[in-house]
Amino acid sequence: MKYINKSLSIEKIKVQDIVKKFGTPIYCYSHKKLKDNISNFKKSFKSFSPLICFAIKSNTNVSLVREVRKFGLGADVVSMGELMVALKAGMDPKKIVFSGVGKTSGEISYAVDRKILLINAESKSEINEIERIAKSKNKIVNIGIRLNPNIDAKTLKQISTGKKENKFGVDEKTFFELVNYSNLSSNINLKCLSVHIGSQILDHKPYEKMLKIVDKIIKKSNYKFEFIDLGGGMGIPYEKSNKRLNYQKYSIAIKKFLKNNKFKIIFEPGRSIVGNIGSLVSKVIYIKENDKKDFIILDAAMNDLMRPALYGANHKTLPVIKTNKISKKVYEFVGPICESTDKFTTLKKFQKLKENDLIVMCDVGAYGMSLSSNYNVRPKPTEILIRGSKINVIKKRQKLEDLI
């Protein structure tokens, strides 16, 4: 995304032209950025050739997942719906792992019938249920056990998953008990130790700490795992103050870990693959003047982009047409929903705006549309995929008639 003659373009297409054809709000994804992200990820960890399972929860658009699959990736799913999306997109079942703490009997049964690579179990009760279903179908099911390593990844508490107070995984004592239990079962084949410590991680050090704990657990368990699933959580810089996660240092730590262990590594990246490929274009409906700040009321709302309301997340915001005029007032960018949390960002010294101007919120490819809703009976926006000068509509704007 860059300015050409003061007009913002995504790849080779002007944002203005996109809006003329499709209206606002609209999600735009860059195919080139997707390709670059996957290529960079693969290159960074090529020395041990991991199985890369794209976290479907980050973006559930079937057409986009299909593009991810074309680059050779598998899928990490956390529901039957996500598993169906992955299969619809043509993902190889032997490259799909099913995670999550609350898989229902129906979901487990569906996954078993599809012969996916692994079901990563997170409790004794879940293993019992997998075993019961496998027995009823006269099948042997490949599973992993998710360890909770009690590590603080130093991210937002809402997206922390590796501390003992979080609902995910099992502690060390329970892990060993479940390894022994699974080893005695004739319908369960324990293949994997799984771990995932959180999301939006920008420092390699929590990962290094996690690897040391996993190494210790493996040695104590005296069990030969085929896979070690290290989860995902790799962050992206949403703001200038954010540093980039050093893939090279993380890769070095994994190579050191693998010196004494011969495993196939599994990764579950989502945000790092699609986060920065997406932009949300919105129009200024009204400018509501106030003493201390002006409210920039957009036609996009928290139902279209939930992250700011849910996490207090901040997305870089840009004008579509650049001018040299700067507002003396503070701008608060808000949506039309009847909630005070329906706001995106507050900015000083932003370009002076007028009603009907267009703005873009950046880096919304992950947890943008996948967290969207129809709150206030608002239709979900159009999604398009841009390749150079070509546009593919990968999800049409919902119609009110279909919602009501």
Short mmCIF file of all heavy atoms in Angstrom, two decimals, residues 74-112:
data_model
loop_
_atom_site.label_atom_id
_atom_site.label_comp_id
_atom_site.label_asym_id
_atom_site.label_seq_id
_atom_site.Cartn_x
_atom_site.Cartn_y
_atom_site.Cartn_z
N GLY A 74 -0.91 -26.12 5.72
CA GLY A 74 -2.04 -26.85 6.27
C GLY A 74 -2.88 -25.91 7.11
O GLY A 74 -2.82 -24.68 6.94
N ALA A 75 -3.65 -26.46 8.05
CA ALA A 75 -4.56 -25.64 8.84
C ALA A 75 -4.61 -26.05 10.31
O ALA A 75 -4.53 -27.24 10.63
CB ALA A 75 -5.97 -25.70 8.26
N ASP A 76 -4.72 -25.05 11.16
CA ASP A 76 -5.01 -25.24 12.58
C ASP A 76 -6.45 -24.78 12.77
O ASP A 76 -6.79 -23.63 12.43
CB ASP A 76 -4.06 -24.41 13.44
CG ASP A 76 -4.57 -24.21 14.85
OD1 ASP A 76 -4.85 -25.21 15.52
OD2 ASP A 76 -4.70 -23.04 15.29
N VAL A 77 -7.31 -25.66 13.28
CA VAL A 77 -8.73 -25.32 13.45
C VAL A 77 -9.14 -25.47 14.91
O VAL A 77 -8.53 -26.24 15.65
CB VAL A 77 -9.63 -26.19 12.54
CG1 VAL A 77 -9.21 -26.04 11.09
CG2 VAL A 77 -9.60 -27.66 12.95
N VAL A 78 -10.17 -24.76 15.30
CA VAL A 78 -10.64 -24.83 16.69
C VAL A 78 -12.15 -25.07 16.79
O VAL A 78 -12.74 -24.91 17.85
CB VAL A 78 -10.25 -23.56 17.49
CG1 VAL A 78 -8.74 -23.45 17.63
CG2 VAL A 78 -10.82 -22.30 16.86
N SER A 79 -12.76 -25.43 15.67
CA SER A 79 -14.19 -25.76 15.68
C SER A 79 -14.50 -26.60 14.44
O SER A 79 -13.71 -26.64 13.49
CB SER A 79 -15.05 -24.49 15.65
OG SER A 79 -14.95 -23.86 14.37
N MET A 80 -15.67 -27.22 14.45
CA MET A 80 -16.10 -28.00 13.29
C MET A 80 -16.27 -27.08 12.08
O MET A 80 -15.93 -27.45 10.95
CB MET A 80 -17.40 -28.72 13.62
CG MET A 80 -17.90 -29.63 12.51
SD MET A 80 -19.20 -30.71 13.17
CE MET A 80 -20.18 -30.98 11.71
N GLY A 81 -16.78 -25.89 12.32
CA GLY A 81 -16.96 -24.91 11.24
C GLY A 81 -15.64 -24.56 10.58
O GLY A 81 -15.55 -24.52 9.34
N GLU A 82 -14.61 -24.33 11.39
CA GLU A 82 -13.30 -24.02 10.83
C GLU A 82 -12.72 -25.21 10.08
O GLU A 82 -12.07 -25.05 9.05
CB GLU A 82 -12.34 -23.57 11.94
CG GLU A 82 -12.63 -22.17 12.45
CD GLU A 82 -11.56 -21.64 13.39
OE1 GLU A 82 -10.52 -22.31 13.59
OE2 GLU A 82 -11.77 -20.55 13.94
N LEU A 83 -12.96 -26.42 10.59
CA LEU A 83 -12.50 -27.62 9.89
C LEU A 83 -13.19 -27.74 8.54
O LEU A 83 -12.56 -28.08 7.52
CB LEU A 83 -12.77 -28.86 10.76
CG LEU A 83 -12.42 -30.23 10.16
CD1 LEU A 83 -11.00 -30.27 9.61
CD2 LEU A 83 -12.63 -31.33 11.19
N MET A 84 -14.47 -27.41 8.50
CA MET A 84 -15.21 -27.45 7.23
C MET A 84 -14.68 -26.41 6.25
O MET A 84 -14.58 -26.67 5.04
CB MET A 84 -16.71 -27.24 7.50
CG MET A 84 -17.36 -28.41 8.23
SD MET A 84 -19.05 -28.07 8.77
CE MET A 84 -19.95 -28.36 7.26
N VAL A 85 -14.31 -25.23 6.76
CA VAL A 85 -13.71 -24.19 5.92
C VAL A 85 -12.40 -24.70 5.31
O VAL A 85 -12.15 -24.56 4.11
CB VAL A 85 -13.45 -22.89 6.73
CG1 VAL A 85 -12.51 -21.94 5.98
CG2 VAL A 85 -14.76 -22.17 7.03
N ALA A 86 -11.55 -25.30 6.16
CA ALA A 86 -10.26 -25.82 5.70
C ALA A 86 -10.44 -26.88 4.61
O ALA A 86 -9.75 -26.86 3.59
CB ALA A 86 -9.47 -26.40 6.88
N LEU A 87 -11.37 -27.79 4.83
CA LEU A 87 -11.62 -28.86 3.85
C LEU A 87 -12.23 -28.30 2.56
O LEU A 87 -11.86 -28.72 1.46
CB LEU A 87 -12.52 -29.93 4.46
CG LEU A 87 -11.91 -30.73 5.63
CD1 LEU A 87 -12.98 -31.58 6.31
CD2 LEU A 87 -10.74 -31.60 5.16
N LYS A 88 -13.13 -27.33 2.71
CA LYS A 88 -13.75 -26.68 1.54
C LYS A 88 -12.68 -25.98 0.70
O LYS A 88 -12.77 -25.93 -0.53
CB LYS A 88 -14.80 -25.67 2.01
CG LYS A 88 -15.47 -24.87 0.92
CD LYS A 88 -16.62 -25.60 0.31
CE LYS A 88 -17.40 -24.71 -0.66
NZ LYS A 88 -18.43 -25.45 -1.39
N ALA A 89 -11.66 -25.43 1.38
CA ALA A 89 -10.57 -24.74 0.69
C ALA A 89 -9.57 -25.72 0.07
O ALA A 89 -8.60 -25.29 -0.56
CB ALA A 89 -9.86 -23.80 1.66
N GLY A 90 -9.78 -27.01 0.29
CA GLY A 90 -8.94 -28.03 -0.33
C GLY A 90 -7.73 -28.43 0.48
O GLY A 90 -6.80 -29.06 -0.03
N MET A 91 -7.72 -28.09 1.77
CA MET A 91 -6.59 -28.46 2.63
C MET A 91 -6.48 -29.98 2.75
O MET A 91 -7.49 -30.68 2.86
CB MET A 91 -6.78 -27.88 4.05
CG MET A 91 -6.64 -26.36 4.14
SD MET A 91 -4.93 -25.86 4.02
CE MET A 91 -5.07 -24.10 4.39
N ASP A 92 -5.26 -30.47 2.74
CA ASP A 92 -4.98 -31.89 2.94
C ASP A 92 -5.31 -32.26 4.39
O ASP A 92 -4.75 -31.66 5.31
CB ASP A 92 -3.50 -32.15 2.65
CG ASP A 92 -3.09 -33.61 2.82
OD1 ASP A 92 -3.91 -34.43 3.27
OD2 ASP A 92 -1.92 -33.92 2.51
N PRO A 93 -6.22 -33.21 4.63
CA PRO A 93 -6.55 -33.59 6.01
C PRO A 93 -5.31 -33.96 6.84
O PRO A 93 -5.29 -33.75 8.06
CB PRO A 93 -7.48 -34.78 5.85
CG PRO A 93 -8.09 -34.60 4.51
CD PRO A 93 -7.02 -33.96 3.66
N LYS A 94 -4.28 -34.49 6.17
CA LYS A 94 -3.05 -34.89 6.88
C LYS A 94 -2.16 -33.69 7.21
O LYS A 94 -1.06 -33.84 7.73
CB LYS A 94 -2.26 -35.91 6.05
CG LYS A 94 -2.96 -37.26 5.93
CD LYS A 94 -3.21 -37.87 7.31
CE LYS A 94 -4.00 -39.16 7.25
NZ LYS A 94 -4.45 -39.58 8.60
N LYS A 95 -2.68 -32.49 6.93
CA LYS A 95 -1.99 -31.26 7.33
C LYS A 95 -2.89 -30.41 8.23
O LYS A 95 -2.69 -29.21 8.35
CB LYS A 95 -1.60 -30.44 6.09
CG LYS A 95 -0.46 -31.02 5.27
CD LYS A 95 -0.08 -30.05 4.15
CE LYS A 95 1.09 -30.56 3.34
NZ LYS A 95 1.43 -29.60 2.25
N ILE A 96 -3.89 -31.06 8.84
CA ILE A 96 -4.83 -30.32 9.70
C ILE A 96 -4.73 -30.80 11.14
O ILE A 96 -4.77 -32.01 11.41
CB ILE A 96 -6.29 -30.48 9.21
CG1 ILE A 96 -6.45 -29.90 7.79
CG2 ILE A 96 -7.27 -29.79 10.16
CD1 ILE A 96 -7.83 -30.10 7.19
N VAL A 97 -4.58 -29.84 12.05
CA VAL A 97 -4.61 -30.14 13.49
C VAL A 97 -5.82 -29.44 14.10
O VAL A 97 -6.16 -28.32 13.72
CB VAL A 97 -3.31 -29.71 14.22
CG1 VAL A 97 -2.13 -30.50 13.71
CG2 VAL A 97 -3.03 -28.22 14.07
N PHE A 98 -6.48 -30.14 15.03
CA PHE A 98 -7.70 -29.62 15.67
C PHE A 98 -7.36 -29.28 17.12
O PHE A 98 -7.11 -30.16 17.94
CB PHE A 98 -8.79 -30.70 15.60
CG PHE A 98 -10.20 -30.21 15.85
CD1 PHE A 98 -11.29 -30.97 15.42
CD2 PHE A 98 -10.46 -29.02 16.52
CE1 PHE A 98 -12.60 -30.55 15.66
CE2 PHE A 98 -11.75 -28.59 16.74
CZ PHE A 98 -12.82 -29.35 16.31
N SER A 99 -7.36 -28.00 17.44
CA SER A 99 -7.05 -27.53 18.80
C SER A 99 -8.32 -27.07 19.49
O SER A 99 -9.41 -27.09 18.91
CB SER A 99 -6.04 -26.37 18.72
OG SER A 99 -4.92 -26.72 17.94
N GLY A 100 -8.19 -26.62 20.75
CA GLY A 100 -9.33 -26.06 21.48
C GLY A 100 -9.75 -26.86 22.69
O GLY A 100 -9.66 -28.08 22.70
N VAL A 101 -10.23 -26.15 23.71
CA VAL A 101 -10.53 -26.81 25.00
C VAL A 101 -11.90 -27.46 25.07
O VAL A 101 -12.15 -28.28 25.95
CB VAL A 101 -10.43 -25.79 26.18
CG1 VAL A 101 -9.05 -25.20 26.29
CG2 VAL A 101 -11.48 -24.68 26.05
N GLY A 102 -12.80 -27.11 24.15
CA GLY A 102 -14.18 -27.58 24.32
C GLY A 102 -14.78 -28.24 23.11
O GLY A 102 -15.90 -27.90 22.68
N LYS A 103 -14.06 -29.19 22.52
CA LYS A 103 -14.58 -29.89 21.34
C LYS A 103 -15.76 -30.77 21.76
O LYS A 103 -15.64 -31.57 22.69
CB LYS A 103 -13.49 -30.76 20.70
CG LYS A 103 -12.20 -30.02 20.37
CD LYS A 103 -11.14 -30.99 19.86
CE LYS A 103 -9.76 -30.39 19.87
NZ LYS A 103 -9.17 -30.28 21.22
N THR A 104 -16.87 -30.66 21.06
CA THR A 104 -18.04 -31.48 21.38
C THR A 104 -17.86 -32.88 20.78
O THR A 104 -17.00 -33.11 19.92
CB THR A 104 -19.33 -30.86 20.81
OG1 THR A 104 -19.23 -30.87 19.37
CG2 THR A 104 -19.53 -29.44 21.31
N SER A 105 -18.73 -33.79 21.21
CA SER A 105 -18.70 -35.16 20.66
C SER A 105 -18.89 -35.15 19.15
O SER A 105 -18.22 -35.89 18.42
CB SER A 105 -19.79 -36.02 21.31
OG SER A 105 -19.61 -36.06 22.71
N GLY A 106 -19.80 -34.30 18.70
CA GLY A 106 -20.07 -34.19 17.25
C GLY A 106 -18.84 -33.70 16.49
O GLY A 106 -18.55 -34.20 15.39
N GLU A 107 -18.15 -32.75 17.07
CA GLU A 107 -16.95 -32.20 16.41
C GLU A 107 -15.83 -33.24 16.36
O GLU A 107 -15.16 -33.40 15.34
CB GLU A 107 -16.48 -30.95 17.15
CG GLU A 107 -17.38 -29.75 16.94
CD GLU A 107 -16.93 -28.52 17.71
OE1 GLU A 107 -16.59 -28.66 18.91
OE2 GLU A 107 -16.93 -27.41 17.13
N ILE A 108 -15.65 -33.96 17.46
CA ILE A 108 -14.61 -35.00 17.51
C ILE A 108 -14.93 -36.10 16.49
O ILE A 108 -14.06 -36.54 15.74
CB ILE A 108 -14.48 -35.58 18.94
CG1 ILE A 108 -13.93 -34.51 19.90
CG2 ILE A 108 -13.57 -36.82 18.94
CD1 ILE A 108 -14.04 -34.89 21.37
N SER A 109 -16.19 -36.51 16.45
CA SER A 109 -16.62 -37.56 15.53
C SER A 109 -16.38 -37.14 14.08
O SER A 109 -15.88 -37.92 13.26
CB SER A 109 -18.10 -37.87 15.75
OG SER A 109 -18.53 -38.90 14.91
N TYR A 110 -16.71 -35.90 13.76
CA TYR A 110 -16.51 -35.35 12.41
C TYR A 110 -15.02 -35.38 12.05
O TYR A 110 -14.64 -35.78 10.95
CB TYR A 110 -17.06 -33.93 12.35
CG TYR A 110 -17.02 -33.29 10.97
CD1 TYR A 110 -18.03 -33.51 10.05
CD2 TYR A 110 -15.95 -32.46 10.61
CE1 TYR A 110 -17.99 -32.92 8.78
CE2 TYR A 110 -15.91 -31.88 9.34
CZ TYR A 110 -16.93 -32.11 8.44
OH TYR A 110 -16.88 -31.54 7.19
N ALA A 111 -14.18 -34.95 12.99
CA ALA A 111 -12.72 -34.91 12.75
C ALA A 111 -12.15 -36.32 12.56
O ALA A 111 -11.30 -36.54 11.70
CB ALA A 111 -12.03 -34.21 13.92
N VAL A 112 -12.62 -37.26 13.37
CA VAL A 112 -12.16 -38.65 13.27
C VAL A 112 -12.50 -39.21 11.89
O VAL A 112 -11.66 -39.86 11.24
CB VAL A 112 -12.76 -39.52 14.39
CG1 VAL A 112 -12.52 -41.01 14.12
CG2 VAL A 112 -12.19 -39.12 15.75
#
